């Protein structure tokens, strides 16, 4: 009995200490911020989950249809093509686009006097509005012989290419522009990570006679391995949500060769007026990205900590 009384006394004393130290005031101060965060962050997520089980065009009264929206989008004959196109874009962006900002950051970090100039030039594409940049690149991709890129190819005796009008070239052309647009901002992140690499490691490598490529491979990359793995995950998530480039470049053509999952969601919502199906496919995409993130975390956890 005495132990119980002592425990109750300690609990009351702890509660009184918490109150006197401003615990209640902190809760009262933080509660509005938490409620606003929940409303604007998790509110749309909950609303989207509810909408995915409704037949809703945002005009008439919503009708609860259960899993029908999910069955509809999963049996849509356009979904396999959109999925393959999205995976193709992600693979091209990972193989060809991912090393570019890393190489650019290492190149700039090796420069001493003119590094700031290359830093500004590399970040310049990120300053250009995406729509303006895509319209400019559409001019570059003009399939006629007078197009900018085809003119350059003509200097080397290569016939003009169809670029965005070709089912086989449209997606690589979009990846090329997306790499140009995103490389500068990503390179800035890598440059910030490179400032944390200890200079004595480079000095030791130089004393051992290591060249620039040897220093990059044995010193730079291992020291920023964690940042590289994080940026790779962010790029995978971003490429699975690609929309602006296919929408403005080709509208999903030619022959649906550039129709991505987000472009299919756009068609459901704003062309067909079926916001329930659009939300259902969005929920499925979000679920896939969550699973991908968890699997990626477990696969790379050992590499990022060793």
């Amino acid at each position: 009995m005495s132990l119980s009384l002592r425990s109750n006394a300690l609990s009351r004393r702890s509660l009184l200490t918490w109150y006197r130290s401003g615990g209640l005031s902190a809760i009262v101060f933080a509660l509005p911020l938490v409620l606003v965060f929940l409303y604007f962050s998790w509110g749309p997520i909950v609303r989207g989950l509810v909408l995915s089980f409704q037949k809703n065009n945002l005009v008439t009264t919503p009708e609860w249809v259960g899993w029908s929206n999910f069955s509809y989008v999963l049996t849509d004959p356009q979904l396999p093509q959109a999925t393959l196109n999205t995976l193709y874009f992600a693979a091209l962006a990972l193989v060809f686009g991912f090393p570019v900002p890393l190489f650019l950051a290492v190149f700039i970090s090796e420069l001493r006097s003119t590094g700031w100039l290359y830093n500004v030039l590399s970040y310049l594409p990120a300053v250009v509005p995406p729509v303006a940049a895509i319209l400019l690149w559409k001019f570059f991709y003009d399939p006629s012989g007078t197009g900018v890129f085809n003119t350059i190819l003509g200097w080397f005796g290569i016939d003009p290419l169809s670029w965005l009008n070709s089912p086989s070239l449209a997606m690589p052309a979009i990846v090329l522009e997306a790499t140009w647009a995103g490389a500068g901002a990503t390179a800035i992140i890598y440059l910030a990570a490179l400032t944390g690499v200890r200079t004595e490691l480079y000095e030791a490598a130089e004393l051992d006679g290591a060249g620039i490529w040897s220093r990059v491979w044995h010193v730079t990359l291992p020291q920023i391995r964690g940042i590289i793995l994080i940026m790779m995950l962010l790029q995978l998530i971003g490429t699975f949500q690609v929309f602006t480039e296919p929408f403005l470049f080709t509208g999903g053509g030619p022959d649906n060769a550039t129709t991505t999952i987000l472009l299919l969601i756009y068609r459901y919502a704003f062309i067909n007026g079926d916001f329930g199906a659009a939300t259902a496919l969005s929920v499925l995409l979000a679920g896939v990205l969550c699973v991908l993130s968890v699997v990626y975390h477990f696969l790379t956890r050992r590499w990022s900590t060793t």
Side-chain angles (χ1 to χ4, degrees), residues 214-228:
S214 182
R215 295 199 305 271
V216 169
W217 183 258
H218 295 287
V219 178
T220 303
L221 295 183
Q223 291 296 310
I224 63 172
R225 178 169 46 194
I227 299 297
I228 293 175

Side-chain angles (χ1 to χ4, degrees), residues 234-263:
L234 294 178
Q235 176 165 324
L236 285 173
I237 294 175
T239 52
F240 272 85
Q241 301 178 72
V242 60
F243 169 76
T244 306
E245 289 82 2
F247 177 71
L248 294 178
F249 269 125
T250 61
D255 297 331
N256 287 324
T258 58
T259 299
T260 60
I261 294 178
L262 249 66
L263 191 55

Side-chain angles (χ1 to χ4, degrees), residues 16-39:
L16 184 61
T17 303
W18 171 81
Y19 175 78
R20 289 178 175 176
S21 62
L24 182 60
S25 301
I27 291 180
V28 172
F29 179 78
L31 187 60
L33 300 177
V34 173
L35 292 177
V36 169
F37 171 79
L38 292 176
Y39 180 80

Side-chain angles (χ1 to χ4, degrees), residues 139-154 160 163:
F139 173 74
F140 293 162
Y141 283 138
D142 188 343
S144 65
T146 59
V148 175
F149 288 156
N150 283 335
T151 299
I152 297 175
L153 293 177
W163 297 110

Side-chain angles (χ1 to χ4, degrees), residues 46-93:
V46 174
R47 174 58 181 156
L49 290 174
V50 174
L51 185 61
S52 65
F53 293 99
Q54 295 176 338
K55 183 177 181 59
N56 195 336
N57 59 6
L58 302 184
V59 177
T60 60
T61 303
E63 177 186 353
W64 189 266
V65 294
W67 297 96
S68 298
N69 289 328
F70 293 91
S71 301
Y72 171 71
V73 298
L74 289 175
T75 56
D76 187 348
Q78 292 188 7
L79 181 60
Q81 181 66 40
T83 303
L84 289 176
N85 291 339
T86 303
L87 292 174
Y88 183 42
F89 178 88
L92 289 177

